[in-house]
Amino acid sequence: MDLCPLSEFELSLFKAAAEELRRKSPSPHTKLYEWPVVLQHLLAQQELGLAGMSYGCLVITSIGSPWFTSEEMLIEDFVMKLYDTGVPSVIPQVLAEMAAARGLRYVAAGDTQTGRMAHNYRRRGFVCIGEQFLLEVNNGLATQGHWHSGPD
């Protein structure tokens, strides 16, 4: 399954939606989003065919291996429905097809937006292997907002 590169319009939709997610999400990690970092990762992965649009959703993936194995797998970094007509329920199948096309046996995926994708993954045979936790340590440094437009 090939992902379609983002158009300039879709990139602007994503930037606005990510900024809104950063402001409104109950997930604390979204407060750390930095647009230049997000954009750099997205464009680098898109160049490799690992990020783009599918079924109205932005999909960003990587290939790597976790700490417990040398076996590489497709890693879902981020999924966001950009269009009202988007169909996130098919993204698990898209990820499986991407992995198979690259000769990978596994897809690692997560859901850090309080359940937006978990049911889709479970429905497609993904098994929950744990949870993620984030702790902000009070180290005397002021919390700062990371989102800034900067150069696109």
Side-chain angles (χ1 to χ4, degrees):
M1 168 64 58
D2 289 330
L3 300 174
C4 299
L6 272 78
S7 67
E8 287 299 320
F9 175 71
E10 289 164 337
L11 193 57
S12 67
L13 278 179
F14 171 51
K15 184 176 182 181
E19 185 170 0
E20 182 176 350
L21 182 65
R22 188 180 83 63
R23 284 193 323 269
K24 295 182 177 179
S25 174
S27 298
H29 76 285
T30 59
K31 308 300 182 251
L32 300 173
Y33 286 6
E34 297 177 52
W35 179 247
V37 175
V38 171
L39 181 61
Q40 180 181 11
H41 183 69
L42 166 63
L43 295 177
Q45 296 311 96
Q46 185 171 264
E47 186 71 26
L48 297 171
L50 295 172
M53 295 297 297
S54 185
Y55 294 93
C57 297
L58 169 62
V59 178
I60 305 173
T61 65
S62 300
I63 294 176
S65 56
W67 63 272
F68 54 84
T69 183
S70 61
E71 185 162 353
E72 288 190 329
M73 53 188 74
L74 186 75
I75 301 166
E76 175 258 300
D77 295 329
F78 187 81
V79 173
M80 177 183 273
K81 180 177 160 181
L82 285 188
Y83 292 104
D84 290 340
T85 56
V87 188
S89 62
V90 299
I91 298 306
Q93 183 61 35
V94 168
L95 296 172
E97 290 173 12
M98 288 176 65
R102 288 162 175 80
L104 303 171
R105 289 194 311 158
Y106 296 98
V107 176
D111 187 339
T112 58
Q113 286 302 314
T114 62
R116 292 185 183 212
M117 285 297 294
H119 63 284
N120 293 313
Y121 291 132
R122 284 188 182 99
R123 205 174 310 145
R124 293 291 181 138
F126 285 65
V127 177
C128 181
I129 60 171
E131 297 179 74
Q132 286 189 318
F133 300 91
L134 178 70
L135 172 68
E136 182 175 354
V137 178
N138 182 355
N139 60 6
L141 299 176
T143 302
Q144 58 184 0
H146 288 281
W147 192 267
H148 55 89
S149 293
D152 288 337

